[in-house]
Structure formats: structure tokens, C-alpha cells
Amino acid sequence: MPQPAQSDFRSSPVTRRWRAIVFAAAAVCGAIPASAALAAGAHAAPAYTGQIIVRWRDGADGNSKTPAAAADALKQLSERTGIAVTARRAMGGNLQLLQVPDALAADPEAAAARLRQDPRVADAVPDRWLRLHDTLPNDPEFISRQPYLMGTGTAVGGVNLPRAWDRTRGSSGVVIAVVDTGILPHPDLAARVLPGYDFISSSTISNDGDGRDADATDAGDNLEAGFTCPGSSTPTQTATNNSWHGTRVASVLGAQTNNAQDIAGVDWNARILPVRVSGRCGALLSDTVDGMRWAGGLSVPNAPANPTPARVVNISLGGGTCSSIEQQAVNDLNARGVVVVAAAGNERGAVEAPGDCSGVIAVTAHANDGENASYANVGPQVAISAPGGGCGNSQIVNGQCTTTPSVIRTLNNNGKTGLGTYVVTDSAGTSFAAPMVSGVVSMMFAVNGSLTPAQVTAALKTSARPHPSGTYCTTNPGVCGAGLLDADGALVAAAGTPPAQAAPAPDSGGGGGAVPPWTAMLLALSGLLAFALRRRM
């Protein structure tokens, strides 16, 4: 019997974090029956911060350039709602992060509802913690090859990359943003990584001694024994190691390939933009939204303009359900032609935000045999499935994984706190299925740079291979996406997709649906010509 794999779920309250670790690991690999895990369609309770993200209506924002005007806006908001709010910081997209009194922090949804009643507030959403969707098997006997990158002759669930690489190996003109824990200066990534940005606003969480800055290097997310995360009253009982999650995610989509060392990545040439949002205790929604927007080239207050905006944004973390704040960020990115790819989550439940936002390519995970991974979140929001490691649902019998679980090979750091010792690590989770899709999307742009986000999604879906017959995804249709990721099929579909038709310009004459004057003239002339020809026949 294979040894159980370890699971790594990170969120803000330490008690919830360790409860999730023990419960998810047991459900995935054998200590408890899979049926006892979080039911599909259910969301884990969100962990809130006591802060509210407010979107101001045009002309009524609290981010005014005049300090007096900004202070007056907050004063009026407090008087009208009865909530003594204070400003924390400005955010992109006409947003502002506000602090509410401790007495109201216990019910942040109610506080947000009261703030939304103010006519100058367009929306208000509680800030919450997101966690990494990462399951980390560390059994040294796990296989070290990468059959999941091969065709179906090697692995039923393989991505079919060798044939795709005959068409393209990607382009250095395409940028993929990794919104995550940052990236280590790894020799097998160094030539590909661009200068990014650290959006972690709390020095307590950042683990690097400061707040936001231009250094997106992963400073680690380990917790010392006795450390109490913000929002929790329970100190950590046992010290935890650094996850180096962002490096592992980046290596899946873009490790240097054909260089006779380490692992093969999906895209050989795309550049990688690290955007650091997650540190100790997880990631804040407010930091993550700012990081997403900046990654795609949208402006964020007090952050420099992004000189290398991403065409693809990979997010392998999440939590809760999609709020209007996240949806607006996705809408704004999609409007710029940016594709957002997100992991569905690892709690055997509903797809977690931002994966459940409209316009996001949500990715669930399957094992090498093509069956949905027992830990993977599923739901109608899922677009496609990609290799993520773990056990297929049918391989869990009486609460036990009856076969050797699949793994995803990733670049990692071998030290608990230091840098410089690099290894290849066995990983599993939707965190690593998502960058497989992101890498294929960047290759799709290499063969057809005119693709829109909607066309990319459509091409991925139409080219997907069917889920294996008789497995969870075929007996539960509509929850695992269109099928299994097929890189070669996606490139064929991308190359054959014509440019999207631009929406017709509105008629300056003002009549709804009226024919433009020059078009009417041409129609009239063609009609007269046809009439004259008929008269002569």
C-alpha cells in the first residue's frame, strides 16, 4: 500500500489552517472515507480581516487627491451609515480599503451591507484571506518522470505536448504572470523571469521586513512555533516549512527545457512575471486584486506602471466565492485581452474564487490515468481539467488510495529557510494543473496573437479530450469542464480561429439600428443599377 501523501493548505487563522491540513490529507489519501470530506457544492467558511473594500461611485471616491476631501468623504460615510470607518489605503479601480471598528468585525458581511446603503458607495466587500491550492506529496519513492506531459500512448491524462512542441515552443513576446508567493532566483528559471512586484501590504505577512516594493523574490511563508496569524487568537503549535509555492508553479509552466537538467516546462520561451501576494498566513483579497490588476497592465495607486504587462495571469490560490471586486478585476483584465487562469481548489467542494468568477478559466485536476483527482474542487464554473497529481476518485476504496498517486515534478528549494539548494520535488494539487493550462494558453498566443479571452476559452474547450468513460466526471456531467487538456489540439484550434469581429460603430445620426448614410447611399445605387439592368433585359 502506498504511503499517504502530505497535503498543504494555507489560510490565515492557524486553527482553520491546521484543521484543513489534517482533514484534507486524510480525505485524499486514506485516513477517513472520501465521502466524509467537504461535500461538493459547499464552501469552507471564509476568514475575514475586519477590513472592507469599498468601490466609490464616480466623483465620490475617498481616494481624492485632496486629503481634506478624502477625509470629508469618510466622515460623511461614517455619519450616514453609523460605522466609524478609517482609511487603510487606496486601491486600483476606484477602490479603497477601509477599517471598521472591532465591534463590527465579527459580522463583516453585515457591515459591508450597511456601507452599500450609502448612495456614494457603488459596492462594499469584506476583505478576506485566500489560501494556496497546493497538495504536496513528498514520498521519495514517487516516480520522478513526467508522463503527464506526453501523449495518450504514455498516459491517458497526458497533455500531448510533444506534438504541440512541433508546432511551437512558445514566444518570448508573451508574458505569463504568476500571482503567488513570489519566485526564487532559480537557475532553471533565471533566463525567463522578469522584474515583478511585491504587493504584500503587511510586513508581518511578507516575511521580508517591509511592505510593498519592487522585489518579488519569495521570502518564504514558514511559521515559527508560537506565531499567531492576523485574525486568529491561536498561536501555531508546530513550526512549518516554506512552501516556495510560486517557484513550483512557475516551473510547471516555464522551466527551461531541452537544457539537460531538472524538468521540462510547458512553454519553452514565454517570459514569467512574478507578482507576490501571498506570505505567512496566506494572501489578502485586497493585495491579490491589486496584484491581478497590475499584472495585466492596469494601474494601482502607489505602484509603478507595469512595463511588461502579462497576456496570461495564473492564480493558483483562492478562497470563498467570487465577489463583485474580483469580478470587476477579471472584467477589466478580459477587456484588455488578458486571460485569467485559476486553480479550482483542493477541498473536494465547490470552485473557489477567483476561479468561480465569470471570464476566468477555472481548472480542476486529474491523475495520470485521466480520472478526476479525489481532492479536486469541481462545479459548473470549471472550464477544463489538467494533470495535477493525486489519486483518481475510483482509486479511493474504503478511504484508502489503492495505487501509487500521480505527482507533478516541480522545481523547489531544499532548505527550510535559506536559499541556494535546489531540488526537484513531487507536488500535487490544482495549483499545478492551472499553470499547465496557462503554459498552453501562452503557446496559443504564439500561434495566434489576435485571440480574445473568450476565443481562448472556446478553443480549449472544443479541443479537449473526453473524460474517461465510467469515471466521476462522466457519471457527474457538467462539473469537470469540457474534458482533458490537449495542448496539440488547442494549438490547432487556436491557429484556425479567425480574428474576432469588432463591434459595429454606433450611427452618429442617432437612430437605433439605423443604417449609416454612406451604406444607405451604396444600397440605393445598387438598387438603381439592378433596376436599369432588368429594364434592358
Side-chain angles (χ1 to χ4, degrees), residues 18-41:
W18 282 105
R19 214 164 38 236
I21 291 172
V22 174
F23 192 76
V28 171
C29 293
I32 60 173
S35 60
L38 188 66

Side-chain angles (χ1 to χ4, degrees), residues 458-517:
L460 286 171
K461 289 182 175 182
T462 58
S463 63
R465 300 194 308 275
H467 297 286
S469 177
T471 61
Y472 176 84
C473 292
T474 55
T475 56
N476 295 273
V479 299
C480 298
L484 309 182
L485 175 66
D486 190 291
D488 187 56
L491 294 187
V492 172
T497 302
Q501 295 295 317
D507 175 27
S508 58
V515 178

Side-chain angles (χ1 to χ4, degrees), residues 186-193 250-251 253-265 267-268 272 411:
H186 197 290
D188 211 24
L189 290 170
R192 308 279 297 281
V193 176
S251 70
L253 63 87
Q256 288 186 351
T257 304
N258 200 33
N259 63 348
Q261 68 179 47
D262 296 329
I263 63 173
D267 185 305
W268 294 21
I272 301 169
L411 302 177

Side-chain angles (χ1 to χ4, degrees), residues 173-466:
V174 180
V175 175
I176 310 173
V178 178
V179 179
D180 214 286
T181 65
I183 295 179
L184 296 175
H186 197 290
D188 211 24
L189 290 170
R192 308 279 297 281
V193 176
L194 294 164
Y197 204 80
D198 181 356
F199 275 95
I200 301 178
S201 54
S202 167
S203 59
T204 302
I205 303 305
S206 67
N207 211 21
D208 60 5
D210 54 35
R212 294 183 171 186
D213 57 34
D215 184 2
T217 302
D218 191 342
D221 51 10
N222 64 300
L223 295 175
E224 305 89 358
F227 183 86
T228 302
C229 284
S232 173
S233 59
T234 306
T236 304
Q237 298 300 311
T238 305
T240 64
N241 294 338
N242 294 307
S243 70
W244 309 127
H245 189 266
T247 302
R248 291 190 285 141
V249 167
S251 70
V252 171
L253 63 87
Q256 288 186 351
T257 304
N258 200 33
N259 63 348
Q261 68 179 47
D262 296 329
I263 63 173
V266 175
D267 185 305
W268 294 21
N269 292 300
R271 293 179 295 167
I272 301 169
L273 181 69
V275 181
R276 188 170 186 242
V277 300
S278 182
R280 294 191 291 187
C281 307
L284 284 169
L285 173 63
S286 50
D287 289 342
T288 304
V289 168
D290 275 350
M292 291 169 58
R293 297 179 67 87
W294 184 87
L298 298 169
S299 63
V300 174
N302 302 316
N306 180 0
T308 53
R311 194 74 192 273
V312 185
V313 174
N314 186 94
I315 308 174
S316 289
L317 50 80
T321 58
C322 183
S323 68
S324 58
I325 300 301
E326 291 146 291
Q327 187 62 64
Q328 186 62 55
V330 173
N331 293 348
D332 291 346
L333 289 168
N334 285 171
R336 290 178 60 92
V338 179
V339 172
V340 181
V341 179
N346 296 344
E347 295 188 330
R348 196 176 172 81
V351 178
E352 294 191 323
D356 64 341
C357 293
S358 176
V360 171
I361 298 175
V363 184
T364 190
H366 60 257
N368 289 349
D369 61 5
E371 185 174 8
N372 184 248
S374 60
Y375 58 79
N377 290 358
V378 296
Q381 303 91 345
V382 170
I384 199 164
S385 181
C391 285
N393 284 283
S394 69
Q395 303 299 326
I396 304 294
V397 178
N398 296 324
Q400 298 292 321
C401 181
T402 60
T403 186
T404 300
S406 305
V407 297
I408 304 300
R409 297 293 280 167
T410 60
L411 302 177
N412 199 7
N413 181 285
N414 197 35
K416 294 182 179 180
T417 57
L419 305 178
T421 305
Y422 303 104
V423 295
V424 176
T425 300
D426 292 335
S427 299
T430 58
S431 276
F432 309 105
M436 297 231 182
V437 175
S438 293
V440 170
V441 171
S442 65
M443 293 170 67
M444 294 168 70
F445 282 129
V447 300
N448 186 350
S450 69
L451 293 171
T452 65
Q455 288 176 327
V456 168
T457 303
L460 286 171
K461 289 182 175 182
T462 58
S463 63
R465 300 194 308 275

Side-chain angles (χ1 to χ4, degrees), residues 148-178:
Y148 48 85
L149 298 184
M150 306 298 181
T152 56
T154 302
V156 173
V159 177
N160 201 16
L161 272 168
R163 293 188 63 178
W165 287 330
D166 287 340
R167 302 180 189 277
T168 183
R169 295 173 183 178
S171 168
S172 61
V174 180
V175 175
I176 310 173
V178 178

